[in-house]
Amino acid sequence: WLIRAAPAHHLRLQSGRYDAPDRQFHSIAESWESALTNSADVKELTPEFFTFPPDFLVNVRDLPLGSRTRDGAELGDVILPTWANDSP
């Protein structure tokens, strides 16, 4: 969830590589749906969800996070739900 905010920590955990794009946090709506419908998908909100500014949702460093294989979506900023009005 925090790759955009602290990429150096993530790279240390993944042997110097970013995780597979299909497993990275891409959309709040997709994560919500997956947690509701898949009992093996367990998530917990990090404190960053409750603080301001929500910069952990934005790829301000232009990290090369890759493209998902299932739909070809290029990873960058986290996609927010429509009610968020493109907030961060």
Side-chain angles (χ1 to χ4, degrees):
W1 294 67
L2 297 177
I3 188 171
R4 291 160 185 85
H9 299 297
H10 184 80
L11 290 173
R12 286 191 188 111
L13 293 173
Q14 297 291 336
S15 301
R17 297 186 183 148
Y18 293 116
D19 198 3
D22 288 325
R23 290 196 305 246
Q24 291 185 38
F25 181 35
H26 174 66
S27 160
I28 290 179
E30 283 182 10
S31 295
W32 176 261
E33 183 67 26
S34 180
L36 284 177
T37 59
N38 181 357
S39 61
D41 188 357
V42 179
K43 294 188 173 26
E44 105 183 22
L45 294 177
T46 61
E48 287 77 9
F49 273 95
F50 304 98
T51 62
F52 190 82
D55 55 351
F56 77 102
L57 299 171
V58 181
N59 188 5
V60 294
R61 292 180 180 90
D62 254 350
L63 302 172
L65 301 175
S67 299
R68 299 189 325 176
T69 57
R70 63 181 149 201
D71 60 8
E74 186 75 25
L75 298 184
D77 297 344
V78 173
I79 298 172
L80 301 176
T82 54
W83 55 261
N85 297 326
D86 296 325
S87 284

